[in-house]
Amino acid sequence: MSLSAVGLHSFDFRNPRDVDQMGKKPSLFLASQSLMTAPQIDTSNITNAFVSGMKEDLNLYGNQYNYIVVAWTIGYIIGQWAHPDAHAGLMQPSNFILTRVRAHIWIPFLEIGWTVFTFSLAGAKTYTQMLALRFVVGLFEAGYWPALYYILGSWYNKRELGKRNGILQSAVSIAPIFSGFLQAGIYTSLDGHAGLAGWRWLFVINGIISLPISILAYFFLPDTPGTAKQNWLFSEREIELARERMSIIGRVPEGKPYTVRTILSYFKSWKTVLFTLIFTMQPFGSAPATSFVFWLKAHNKKGKPLVYTIAQINEYPTIGNAFTAAYSLLTVWISDGPLRGRRWPTIVFGNLVAIVIFTLLVVTPVFGPFSHRAPLYILSSIGGSAVPLTMAWMSELISDNAEQRAFTAAAMNTLQFTPGNRAAAVVAGLTVIVFVIITVLEHREKRQKKRDRQHGSAFVLSIGDGNEKKLALVDEEDVTSGPTTSASCLANPLQYEQHR
């Protein structure tokens, strides 16, 4: 087989300039992601609006706030899966569309739909209107984050993906910080302006922020290497280089047909089943942190002086978001760096610490001093900070099937439940057990692949000068176990042995 036949003729994998030139382009991808925090702001802004006057203006009582949250959740679930496919004859997840429609078209479409209905939230006059609008917002928001994680998993290898996912997840954590201070500022400066209450202005400004971002995404958001075409962002040569990088580590591009039988086969895969199970439980790791804002508001009793102002209620919980962002970035750098792409050590450690924190929340008096309970709320999201590494781990283990990878990412973001402190402590322990099972199964699969390679999985590659060399197939850990520079990550797989 000639070198040109395998598509390597136009690239020097050992040339740092060749690799780094292409590596700068996905940085624009990360920059665009960092800007695209509006949907995550939405997850926080309904809470900020509720504690900033929405409850009183819409006369919400009992469990009506919870029903508004449930309406969004139902829309989110339907939005994940309610995309008909005539060929397959079934409803398909939003992420499947990414394997057929280019990302820079599909994601801005979702963002624009989200923007329109977020503007509409500002005009809701009744509980019923808010319920219906939140349902539609959930529909458009559904495919957003799974899509971004899927795209990242299509560009980066094991020593790169954790950090990139961590940057994205940090945007998720930073968004509520922005929302909290935004609502505090709006309540102070815009409450009553133009006849609108401060909490209504929050939705207006969220929409104003989101609209230009959705337009920029059309021009700046890269597609996956498998669907990308030459444009102002990527040359044809750079796209081919990205494809070869993924090919070396066994990351298969899109293109496989999917049918009912194909999708059902995913449920027989331990990878799809266990990672979906993990994400069903993973929200337990950050659930107590979401109670912080309600705990602060509960101190204020009608007819009595305020214990915490509206600004304080919106701002104090952002300390926890800042901690989550910083801790998440620390763990992904440790995982990609000193741990050489191993995901389980930092994940398991975070969940073990979370068990201790949840237990302390159970035994600490609810209305005790601020200094006793608030720090526990701030630190309680440490277990949930494993999201970027969990998504990276899934992408690496399902490298050989882009459609299954897209399906699993959607499933992981669909089945989620939020518990109380006692349940969170128990489920954090169960989460550790499942992660250990995944680690054991991953190790067993790697051993099997190595045995397969020892039984004749090397192939002969003919280089241009006619000399025969043997190119050994390697797994992703072998590819990325050397120096961490991008050039060496590509050079290491091409380990030639003189053919005798």
Side-chain angles (χ1 to χ4, degrees):
M1 182 183 294
S2 68
L3 191 62
S4 61
V6 293
L8 302 180
H9 62 286
S10 58
F11 305 110
D12 182 359
F13 285 97
R14 301 178 188 274
N15 187 343
R17 185 171 56 185
D18 268 2
V19 177
D20 291 342
Q21 181 181 3
M22 192 281 297
K24 292 177 182 177
K25 301 299 181 70
S27 297
L28 291 175
F29 179 19
L30 292 172
S32 66
Q33 287 176 325
S34 298
L35 289 172
M36 295 166 69
T37 58
Q40 185 60 31
I41 291 176
D42 168 72
T43 306
S44 303
N45 66 20
I46 192 67
T47 301
N48 294 123
F50 178 78
V51 300
S52 303
M54 185 180 82
K55 175 184 178 181
E56 292 76 14
D57 288 355
L58 298 186
N59 295 315
L60 301 179
Y61 60 88
N63 288 320
Q64 287 186 333
Y65 170 78
N66 293 329
Y67 296 148
I68 290 173
V69 174
V70 169
W72 176 90
T73 303
I74 294 173
Y76 192 90
I77 293 173
I78 294 175
Q80 285 277 7
W81 299 93
H83 300 279
D85 181 77
H87 174 73
L90 75 165
M91 306 305 282
Q92 61 178 351
S94 173
N95 258 21
F96 266 7
I97 294 179
L98 278 179
T99 67
R100 303 295 184 264
V101 178
R102 297 167 69 187
H104 83 279
I105 297 173
W106 178 241
I107 293 179
F109 166 76
L110 296 176
E111 179 82 5
I112 289 174
W114 181 90
T115 300
V116 170
F117 286 95
T118 295
F119 275 129
S120 301
L121 288 171
K125 303 295 184 183
T126 66
Y127 160 70
T128 304
Q129 291 176 2
M130 182 62 71
L131 202 69
L133 289 171
R134 289 295 295 173
F135 170 81
V136 180
V137 167
L139 282 176
F140 281 99
E141 191 171 334
Y144 192 86
W145 291 108
L148 292 181
Y149 275 117
Y150 169 74
I151 296 168
L152 276 174
S154 300
W155 279 97
Y156 295 105
N157 66 35
K158 196 166 188 175
R159 296 296 296 276
E160 303 165 339
L161 183 56
K163 290 190 286 286
R164 272 65 182 190
N165 280 2
I167 293 172
L168 174 59
Q169 190 64 29
S170 293
V172 175
S173 299
I174 291 170
I177 300 176
F178 182 66
S179 181
F181 283 99
L182 183 65
Q183 180 59 44
I186 289 172
Y187 191 85
T188 301
S189 59
L190 289 178
D191 187 33
H193 186 74
L196 291 179
W199 66 268
R200 295 185 187 275
W201 275 109
L202 178 62
F203 295 119
V204 172
I205 292 178
N206 282 171
I208 292 173
I209 293 171
S210 179
L211 185 59
I213 290 175
S214 61
I215 296 173
L216 288 173
Y218 179 82
F219 297 100
F220 284 90
L221 188 67
D223 305 309
T224 65
T227 61
K229 296 181 181 179
Q230 180 179 349
N231 56 20
W232 74 272
L233 189 60
F234 286 97
S235 68
E236 186 63 33
R237 183 172 182 273
E238 289 166 334
I239 294 172
E240 287 299 323
L241 176 55
R243 290 170 180 167
E244 291 300 335
R245 274 169 41 89
M246 295 298 98
S247 177
I248 287 172
I249 61 175
R251 196 74 52 81
V252 177
E254 302 85 352
K256 292 182 179 180
Y258 50 85
T259 62
V260 175
R261 178 177 296 180
T262 301
I263 293 176
L264 290 177
S265 70
Y266 299 157
F267 292 102
K268 299 178 182 179
S269 166
W270 64 263
K271 300 170 186 176
T272 295
V273 171
L274 292 183
F275 277 108
T276 300
L277 177 61
I278 280 293
F279 257 56
T280 302
M281 298 186 293
Q282 195 124 46
F284 286 64
S286 56
T290 62
S291 301
F292 194 10
V293 65
F294 299 107
W295 178 75
L296 292 168
K297 186 176 177 63
H299 284 79
N300 294 339
K301 305 298 182 182
K302 191 173 183 179
K304 295 183 178 181
L306 294 179
V307 178
Y308 298 106
T309 66
I310 296 297
Q312 289 173 328
I313 292 172
N314 283 288
E315 291 171 358
Y316 284 162
T318 64
I319 302 173
N321 299 116
F323 165 76
T324 302
Y327 181 79
S328 179
L329 288 175
L330 174 64
T331 58
V332 298
W333 250 262
I334 291 174
S335 178
D336 277 7
L339 294 179
R340 296 186 177 277
R342 293 179 181 87
R343 309 304 183 194
W344 67 267
T346 55
I347 293 175
V348 171
F349 172 78
N351 278 276
L352 290 175
V353 173
I355 294 173
V356 176
I357 294 173
F358 298 155
T359 303
L360 290 174
L361 278 169
V362 171
V363 301
T364 303
V366 174
F367 289 102
F370 181 89
S371 60
H372 289 184
R373 197 168 180 86
L376 297 176
Y377 282 125
I378 291 170
L379 299 176
S380 63
S381 60
I382 188 170
S385 63
V387 169
L389 290 181
T390 306
M391 294 297 292
W393 201 359
M394 181 276 295
S395 296
E396 292 152 5
L397 289 182
I398 313 181
S399 286
D400 59 348
N401 192 321
E403 283 70 25
Q404 183 182 357
R405 195 163 67 246
F407 177 91
T408 304
M412 290 168 69
N413 281 272
T414 300
L415 303 175
Q416 299 186 7
F417 176 70
T418 302
N421 295 329
R422 290 180 176 84
V426 174
V427 175
L430 296 176
T431 301
V432 171
I433 294 173
V434 176
F435 275 124
V436 170
I437 293 173
I438 292 175
T439 303
V440 171
L441 292 175
E442 178 189 24
H443 180 69
R444 188 177 70 175
E445 185 176 271
K446 285 181 178 179
R447 290 181 58 187
Q448 182 61 46
K449 287 181 179 179
K450 288 182 179 179
R451 284 196 294 267
D452 291 342
R453 288 199 298 272
Q454 291 171 356
H455 287 80
S457 61
F459 64 90
V460 175
L461 179 65
S462 177
I463 309 301
D465 60 3
N467 295 324
E468 290 186 335
K469 307 284 184 178
K470 184 181 293 183
L471 176 61
L473 297 178
V474 294
D475 62 26
E476 188 168 355
E477 185 171 354
D478 295 330
V479 171
T480 58
S481 61
T484 58
T485 62
S486 54
S488 63
C489 287
L490 290 171
N492 286 343
L494 302 181
Q495 300 169 354
Y496 295 101
E497 176 185 327
Q498 182 67 39
H499 180 65
R500 297 178 181 178

